[in-house]
Structure formats: C-alpha cells, structure tokens
C-alpha cells in the first residue's frame, strides 16, 4: 500500500514516520510518498495533510495546480486526515480568532466550522488526554491549534474540551472517509494513522 503526505509545508516528516510506525504495528507493508504534484495523488490509498501554516499550504496548493485535483480526489473517496492546519484546509467554514474571515484558499470539503489560532501562540502549546470517539483515549498535543465549533450534514464532532472564551469546543471531526484533528497525533500516537490505513484497506 502507498500512503501520501501533502508535502508543501509543515511537519511532513513526522507524518511519514507515523504512517510507517502505524503500518508496522498493523503488520502491513507500506511505502509513504511526499505528495507535491497532481500525479502523485494517483498512486496513494490514503493521505495526510500536515500541520503548518494553513494560508501557505492553500496558496502553494493553488500555485502547484494541486488544489482542484486534491479536492476531486478527496471527493471521490480518498481517505484523508487533516491535522491542525490540515484540518483548517479541509473545513468548509474558517474564521480567525483575531482577524475574523480569512478568504484563504481551502478545500472546503468537511461540514465543520473552524476557528484558527483558537489557543493562542506557540508558547501556549499544551498536551492533554482526550476521548476521541471510536479511537479511544489519545494524548493530544496542541500547538497554535484551531478549535472546531460546529458540524452539520453527516460530520460528527469528537474530543470535547472547555475553552476559556469559546466554551465547549471540539478537537476532532469525522465525516465518511475524512478525519480532522485540531491536535498533532503524529507527535504522540499511531492510533489516528492506523485508523486511516484501515480505512484505506476497506
């Protein structure tokens, strides 16, 4: 099986290692490729969109001709994980905690509303154990993380936590073959990447 990591910007290497470790634990052989060009998408059975700068990832995807091809591939059923900036990129509604509407290029595929930079700056990073739906308890690492505040259609929110200003928010969302996390699972666990590999096998 081939897994892909969108390699335009962000913590690409960490996702590559998480996929490899997850495959090892599942006892399946895997090749992980860096997705940089539209044709790379034809080869893969699952995709991770890493954390980084969501505006940069969107702008580079547009410039490299990946934005529409990526959107089509995911619409057609490519199992896709978006973490942190990747989750923002997947969402249909994006606002920034400071500047409001962002007008950034997004895929706009998941029926979720996301607030960027909901947890402040890098120095306000934190870790917490969260119950993430069917994935069980996950050690969640938050770094300049977004917050999921609403879902509709067949999207489901999971991993609830209290936010000082926003009240009840969520750190994960599931919709068919798409998974979004506000945290960075690639830094602490293989459970999310194993879930994606199992989705890809179906």
């Amino acid at each position: 099986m081939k897994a892909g990591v969108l390699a335009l910007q962000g913590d690409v290497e960490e996702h590559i290692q998480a996929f490899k470790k997850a495959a090892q634990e599942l006892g399946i052989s895997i090749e992980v490729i860096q997705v940089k060009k539209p044709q790379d998408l034809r080869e893969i059975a699952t995709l991770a969109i890493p954390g980084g700068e969501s505006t940069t990832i969107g702008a580079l995807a547009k410039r490299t001709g990946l934005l529409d091809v990526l959107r089509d591939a995911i619409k057609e059923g490519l199992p896709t994980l978006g973490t942190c900036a990747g989750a923002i990129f997947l969402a249909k509604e994006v606002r920034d905690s400071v500047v409001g509407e962002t007008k950034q290029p997004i895929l706009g595929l998941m029926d979720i509303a996301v607030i960027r930079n909901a947890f402040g700056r890098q120095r306000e990073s934190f870790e917490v154990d969260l119950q993430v739906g069917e994935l069980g308890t996950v050690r969640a690492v938050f770094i300049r993380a977004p917050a999921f505040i609403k879902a509709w259609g067949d999207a489901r929110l999971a991993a609830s936590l209290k936010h000082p200003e926003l009240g009840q928010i969520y750190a994960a969302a599931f919709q068919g073959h798409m998974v979004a996390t506000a945290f960075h699972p690639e830094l602490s666990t293989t459970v999310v990447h194993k879930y994606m590999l199992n989705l890809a096998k179906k």
Side-chain angles (χ1 to χ4, degrees), residues 148-166:
F148 305 164
I149 54 164
K150 190 174 74 174
W152 57 96
D154 58 355
R156 294 177 292 117
L157 294 173
S160 68
L161 64 164
K162 277 269 184 281
H163 187 282
E165 281 114 52
L166 300 167

Side-chain angles (χ1 to χ4, degrees), residues 92-174:
K92 276 192 180 161
E93 277 184 27
V94 179
R95 293 183 66 247
D96 187 88
S97 60
V98 180
V99 300
E101 288 298 318
T102 63
K103 300 282 187 285
Q104 67 191 84
I106 54 172
L107 293 167
L109 291 169
M110 279 188 93
D111 295 330
I112 55 173
V114 175
I115 294 182
R116 286 188 348 174
N117 299 320
F119 294 95
R121 296 256 153 254
Q122 196 99 1
R123 65 174 180 274
E124 277 118 35
S125 302
F126 64 98
E127 289 185 32
V128 65
D129 287 328
L130 285 178
Q131 185 64 33
V132 186
E134 58 263 49
L135 303 184
T137 303
V138 172
R139 186 72 181 165
V141 179
F142 288 82
I143 304 166
R144 290 183 60 209
F148 305 164
I149 54 164
K150 190 174 74 174
W152 57 96
D154 58 355
R156 294 177 292 117
L157 294 173
S160 68
L161 64 164
K162 277 269 184 281
H163 187 282
E165 281 114 52
L166 300 167
Q168 181 93 348
I169 59 114
Y170 298 85
F174 296 83

Side-chain angles (χ1 to χ4, degrees), residues 9-202:
Q9 193 262 346
D11 65 336
V12 175
E13 192 51 45
E14 288 82 351
H15 276 279
I16 291 171
Q17 294 312 318
F19 266 135
K20 285 180 177 172
K21 199 170 170 210
Q24 205 177 350
E25 288 170 14
L26 289 170
I28 58 177
S29 79
I30 191 177
E31 186 188 335
V32 189
I33 68 162
Q34 296 193 18
V35 174
K36 294 181 178 176
K37 303 185 295 294
Q39 54 267 41
D40 296 335
L41 287 166
R42 291 191 209 118
E43 300 181 44
I44 58 172
T46 181
L47 174 73
I49 304 172
E53 289 287 341
S54 61
T55 315
T56 307
I57 291 169
L60 288 170
K62 208 171 176 180
R63 195 182 308 158
T64 53
L66 262 168
L67 192 67
D68 293 337
V69 188
L70 199 51
R71 189 182 288 121
D72 291 344
I74 299 168
K75 263 188 192 165
E76 282 161 24
L78 176 66
T80 300
L81 165 67
T83 63
C84 200
I88 296 165
F89 193 42
L90 275 175
K92 276 192 180 161
E93 277 184 27
V94 179
R95 293 183 66 247
D96 187 88
S97 60
V98 180
V99 300
E101 288 298 318
T102 63
K103 300 282 187 285
Q104 67 191 84
I106 54 172
L107 293 167
L109 291 169
M110 279 188 93
D111 295 330
I112 55 173
V114 175
I115 294 182
R116 286 188 348 174
N117 299 320
F119 294 95
R121 296 256 153 254
Q122 196 99 1
R123 65 174 180 274
E124 277 118 35
S125 302
F126 64 98
E127 289 185 32
V128 65
D129 287 328
L130 285 178
Q131 185 64 33
V132 186
E134 58 263 49
L135 303 184
T137 303
V138 172
R139 186 72 181 165
V141 179
F142 288 82
I143 304 166
R144 290 183 60 209
F148 305 164
I149 54 164
K150 190 174 74 174
W152 57 96
D154 58 355
R156 294 177 292 117
L157 294 173
S160 68
L161 64 164
K162 277 269 184 281
H163 187 282
E165 281 114 52
L166 300 167
Q168 181 93 348
I169 59 114
Y170 298 85
F174 296 83
Q175 186 171 9
H177 57 285
M178 297 179 285
V179 180
T181 67
F183 55 90
H184 287 268
E186 72 283 4
L187 299 179
S188 62
T189 178
T190 54
V191 73
V192 184
H193 291 75
K194 280 198 281 203
Y195 181 82
M196 298 314 297
L197 291 172
N198 282 325
L199 269 184
K201 283 196 298 186
K202 282 178 183 170

